[in-house]
Each structure stands twice: as C-alpha cells, then as structure tokens.
Amino acid sequence: MAGAGETSWCFSQLKGTVEEDVTEADIISTVDFNHDGELLATGDKGGRVVIFQREDLFDQQQQQQARGEYNVYSTFQSHEPEFDYLKSLEIEEKINKIKWLPRHNNAHFLLSTNDKTIKLWKVSERDRRWTGFNLKDDDGLIRENNSIQSLRIPHSTPMELMVEASPRRIFANAHTYHINSISVNSDVETYISADDLRINLWHLGITDQSFNIVDIKPANMEELTEVITAAEFHPKQCNLFVYSSSKGTIRLCDMRAAALCDQHARIFEEPEDPSNRSFFSEIISSISDVKFSHSGRYLISRDYLSVKVWDLHMDSTPVETFQVHEYLRSKLCSLYENDCIFDKFECVWNGNDSAIMTGSYNNFFRMFDRTSKRDLTLEASKENMKPLQVLKPRKVCTGTKRKKDEMSVDSLDFNRKILHTAWHPKENIIAVAATNNLYIFQEKPPS
C-alpha cells in the first residue's frame, strides 16, 4: 500500500441523493469499514444504518478479479426517537458511532449507538426456507386436522437471497450523559462506551450490568473543568485503553492496575506555545478524536487545527504534527460566532499506518504521508464525478494575491464540511461523508 502523498486518487462512487435540498435525517453521522473492508456501514441522523457490500467483478481482458463497487447490502432502522420522562429530555435517534466486531461465522455483527442506548446487531443471509410441515401449510397457516392424511418430513428449499438485520442485545440505562465513543476490545468479549464524564466497560453477552472504569465527574459540578471527548481500546493489548479530553490531554489507562482507572498510566500532553496564546486557545486545543495505529505503537489525535502523532513510548511531545488548516487561525473569531469552532473532526490511519486522513471545510479532506512528509488537499465535489477521474489537489491562499488554481480563505464554505471519514484496512480506498452524500475514492488503477 503506497502512502497518500505518492497516490493518485480518483472518483469511484457517490452514494445518496444528488439534489441540493438536504433532509436533516439523511445527514451521515458515522462511517466505518469492517475488518476486511468488504462491508462499509454508515449511520445517519435519522437513526438508520446502511451497509454497503463490495461486489467483485471479473475483468475479461486481464483475466483476473477486478475491483468491484460497493452496493447496498442491507438497510435497517437502528434507533428510534425516545423521551426521558424523568428528565423531560428528548433522546435523538441519531447514530453517533458504529463499530464492527471481527467475523467468526457466516453472520456479521456490529454495535451501533445513539446518545443513550447501544445495540448489538446481527446481519445474516438466508437463501433457503423450510417447507413440508405437518401442522402448518407453506403460508404458515394451521392446517385442519382432517386434512392431514400422511406424515411429511420437512425439508429446505431454495429461495431468493434475503439479508436480515436483527438486534441481539440492547445495552441501555448506563449513561447519564451523551455517548460519544464505543470501542470493541481485542478479546472480542468486552467493549467500552464513553460519555462526557464516564467510561463504562461492558461484556457483549451481558446487558443488565456494566462496570464504571473512569469517572471524572466532580462532587460539585461547578468545579467541572474538562470532559471526555473520545475513547478507544488498544488493538492488541486487551488491558490498555486511551481517552482524550477537552483540555487537549490523552490518558493511557491500564485495567490491570485498578478496577477504577482514575489514575492513568501515562498522559500525553504538549506544552502550549506562549506565542500562540489567545482567547480561543482552550477551545482549539480540545481533542475531537483519538485513534490507535493498527500496530498499536502510535496514536493520532485531532484538535481543531492539527493532527498529532504520538509514540506510546514518549509522552512529552508528539513525534509528528501536521497542520490541517492553519490558514483558519486568523478566522477564529468568526468561526466562534458561527459555532464552527466546536466542530468535531475525526481522523483515520491507512492500512499500514503510513498515512493519515482527516476532514476540513469546503468539503476538503487532508491526507498526510508520514514517510515523505507530503500533504494533500482534495475535495469531495459533485463536479468530479466521472469514473476514475483523477482528483486535482486543492490549495488555499491566505494573502491578497492568489494563483489560478488557488482558493481564497474568504470564499470557503463552512457549511460544507467533512467530519467523518474511513480508510479501507487493506487497500487505498477511502469513504468520505459530506452532509447526506457518501463519496468513495480509490487509488488510480494502473493503465
């Protein structure tokens, strides 16, 4: 897998309506590939989960399997709007996160969550049905006793392929505040869920109890200074997990040390540069996302203006820092006024941890190659929808003089933003959520 800086990216597919009118319920709120990249799941603000499956095609000219497109495999309503009568609060149906479980049989399993309730879904195929019952006819109706003349042996017959999604577990009533993260452990038996002030540890088979492993709620809520923004399990060591905070810190916790992990094993925090100190410093230092590398050696964290790479063996300073949209530093005042400064951008690794991707405004998304230190700005736009059309790198100009291909920082559209992205775990295929559309881009195939 080549790094992002050496790859030519081209348009592959666009999912969603092409119309300009956007329904709130259709806005995509999370995207995630499964462990082999054959399935891609999206969740939206209407509580729906849409799963796309990759269909392999056979290339007659090359006499080999060609890259197939992702087509709709299953769509189901994961969450419905609810009302908390004790607190007089409406609970949105919006899907905050989707996480796939590693596959162990013919079925697929995934966790989906809204603000309060986590559900474990089983997605399975059925292409045969049982017929020839004695007491029921083929439509399922009870047969008259006098019509049963002989004993029949039920048998299975082929039927049209049907994909079923069924909720196997519902994990509810454990979070006072809004859930922002779920992460499946490498032991595939437990997972964590995090809200603003607490992290709970669940067993996938037990729905009526969970263990509170982090609690940062002060005795007096007026003394509250930070909230939890994201949490994730280590990909290989089942006892380790990290969580990030609105104060720009990342804490690594070891569940072997104590039942309540209030005392962290390590804290990753970069000292603030006094020359950049401003009214907005605390807001823009808040970490919106944190992800372990596939190897488990590194972490990436996303704050408002940058992505940082941390080595687990060195907590004093990040080993790499990539500026995402530094040109917005002069616009922080207007971004504060229109609330964009509170946008939560996600970040992802590529399959071999050599590149990082994250989103920006104007439907721009950024890629950083860790080896060559090159960076790339691309745009998810309906104007670049020709099959295999190579995406042109975009540039933003901060001064008054701008070149032909550059875009002025004043003409950026802050309503068009890329918050959610996903990278195929084995290939250079990326999924980018832009409002109610899902763009799929791939590495340009050799001609």
Side-chain angles (χ1 to χ4, degrees):
M1 182 183 289
E6 304 153 19
T7 304
S8 292
W9 292 91
C10 61
F11 174 81
S12 177
Q13 289 176 270
L14 173 67
K15 302 294 183 184
T17 57
V18 187
E19 286 84 32
E20 292 299 318
D21 292 337
V22 178
T23 309
E24 181 79 8
D26 293 336
I27 295 174
I28 297 170
S29 53
T30 185
V31 187
D32 195 35
F33 279 103
N34 74 336
H35 290 75
D36 60 8
E38 292 303 301
L39 297 178
L40 172 63
T42 66
D44 63 26
K45 287 191 174 182
R48 294 181 297 265
V49 172
V50 181
I51 301 173
F52 301 94
Q53 183 184 46
R54 191 180 186 187
E55 296 181 1
D56 284 327
L57 307 170
F58 190 77
D59 191 329
Q60 295 289 348
Q61 292 180 334
Q62 302 288 335
Q63 290 295 304
Q64 62 183 16
Q65 289 293 110
R67 281 181 172 168
E69 292 190 337
Y70 284 88
N71 293 315
V72 174
Y73 178 63
S74 176
T75 302
F76 58 92
Q77 188 72 32
S78 173
H79 288 72
E80 301 279 359
E82 297 174 60
F83 192 80
D84 187 334
Y85 292 98
L86 290 175
K87 297 179 180 173
S88 295
L89 282 176
E90 213 171 300
I91 302 168
E92 287 185 337
E93 65 269 38
K94 173 193 163 197
I95 308 295
N96 291 342
K97 282 285 183 287
I98 290 173
K99 290 293 175 188
W100 291 94
L101 273 66
R103 192 178 185 184
H104 293 302
N105 54 32
N106 288 335
H108 298 275
F109 289 87
L110 61 86
L111 287 168
S112 65
T113 183
N114 66 350
D115 286 341
K116 299 289 182 183
T117 305
I118 305 155
K119 295 184 181 182
L120 174 66
W121 290 89
K122 177 184 179 182
V123 182
S124 55
E125 295 181 356
R126 200 168 61 162
D127 61 357
R128 300 188 74 81
R129 67 190 181 100
W130 287 93
T131 58
F133 293 104
N134 289 288
L135 302 178
K136 302 189 288 189
D137 61 23
D138 289 345
D139 295 324
L141 300 173
I142 302 295
R143 294 172 65 189
E144 296 286 338
N145 287 341
N146 55 13
S147 69
I148 302 173
Q149 302 295 327
S150 61
L151 184 67
R152 297 194 296 181
I153 298 173
H155 59 280
S156 68
T157 56
M159 61 175 273
E160 189 179 342
L161 179 69
M162 194 164 81
V163 180
E164 296 177 313
S166 54
R168 303 314 298 262
R169 305 271 190 280
I170 297 176
F171 307 89
N173 306 319
H175 284 277
T176 310
Y177 308 97
H178 291 177
I179 298 170
N180 55 46
S181 302
I182 48 175
S183 179
V184 182
N185 200 347
S186 58
D187 63 13
V188 201
E189 287 190 1
T190 56
Y191 73 94
I192 53 172
S193 58
D195 66 24
D196 295 336
L197 297 178
R198 296 188 180 102
I199 299 175
N200 291 337
L201 176 69
W202 300 84
H203 190 282
L204 283 162
I206 301 169
T207 59
D208 58 356
Q209 66 175 359
S210 63
F211 295 98
N212 179 224
I213 55 173
V214 173
D215 188 347
I216 65 168
K217 183 182 178 183
N220 181 2
M221 283 295 277
E222 290 179 5
E223 295 170 7
L224 182 68
T225 57
E226 64 179 330
V227 294
I228 297 167
T229 55
E232 187 173 67
F233 262 123
H234 191 282
K236 294 181 178 176
Q237 298 181 44
C238 62
N239 53 290
L240 296 178
F241 69 94
V242 292
Y243 69 93
S244 57
S245 87
S246 57
K247 271 195 164 178
T249 60
I250 304 167
R251 290 176 173 87
L252 176 72
C253 299
D254 190 339
M255 292 193 294
R256 295 173 301 184
L260 190 64
C261 300
D262 282 351
Q263 297 298 318
H264 52 264
R266 282 207 141 147
I267 184 165
F268 301 86
E269 184 177 17
E270 186 175 30
E272 189 186 357
D273 182 357
S275 63
N276 283 336
R277 179 77 190 158
S278 72
F279 171 76
F280 306 106
S281 294
E282 202 166 299
I283 301 172
I284 63 172
S285 67
S286 174
I287 295 173
S288 56
D289 196 18
V290 62
K291 293 264 171 62
F292 274 107
S293 62
H294 296 88
S295 67
R297 172 68 188 268
Y298 299 97
L299 282 167
I300 48 172
S301 64
R302 172 70 207 263
D303 57 41
Y304 190 66
L305 294 178
S306 65
V307 173
K308 291 169 183 168
V309 181
W310 301 85
D311 188 328
L312 286 197
H313 298 175
M314 186 174 78
D315 54 19
S316 57
T317 184
V319 288
E320 295 155 37
T321 300
F322 300 102
Q323 300 302 330
V324 178
H325 39 218
E326 183 64 21
Y327 47 78
L328 293 181
R329 193 176 286 276
S330 61
K331 302 281 177 188
L332 292 177
C333 192
S334 56
L335 290 165
Y336 177 76
E337 287 171 1
N338 63 17
D339 281 349
C340 284
I341 202 169
F342 301 107
D343 285 334
K344 291 176 168 51
F345 293 95
E346 294 174 6
C347 52
V348 289
W349 295 91
N350 71 341
N352 61 8
D353 303 333
S354 64
I356 299 158
M357 175 172 63
T358 190
S360 182
Y361 293 104
N362 208 73
N363 275 8
F364 288 170
F365 55 99
R366 302 270 283 140
M367 291 180 165
F368 305 98
D369 191 307
R370 297 182 59 212
T371 309
S372 65
K373 304 301 180 195
R374 290 185 193 162
D375 63 284
L376 190 62
T377 303
L378 299 172
E379 183 181 5
S381 168
K382 291 172 185 169
E383 295 170 10
N384 304 324
M385 283 173 51
K386 291 179 187 169
L388 301 181
Q389 179 181 356
V390 175
L391 301 183
K392 290 182 181 175
R394 304 303 305 267
K395 286 185 179 167
V396 178
C397 153
T398 51
T400 50
K401 293 181 181 178
R402 74 183 167 91
K403 296 174 185 174
K404 183 184 175 185
D405 294 334
E406 290 184 338
M407 187 172 190
S408 168
V409 69
D410 295 317
S411 56
L412 293 174
D413 185 348
F414 293 107
N415 291 318
R416 296 169 65 232
K417 57 190 90 167
I418 305 291
L419 300 176
H420 314 288
T421 57
W423 202 315
H424 191 289
K426 296 176 181 175
E427 298 176 35
N428 274 334
I429 299 172
I430 56 173
V432 173
T435 318
N436 63 330
N437 292 121
L438 182 71
Y439 290 85
I440 299 174
F441 302 103
Q442 66 178 55
E443 181 180 5
K444 183 171 174 59
S447 51

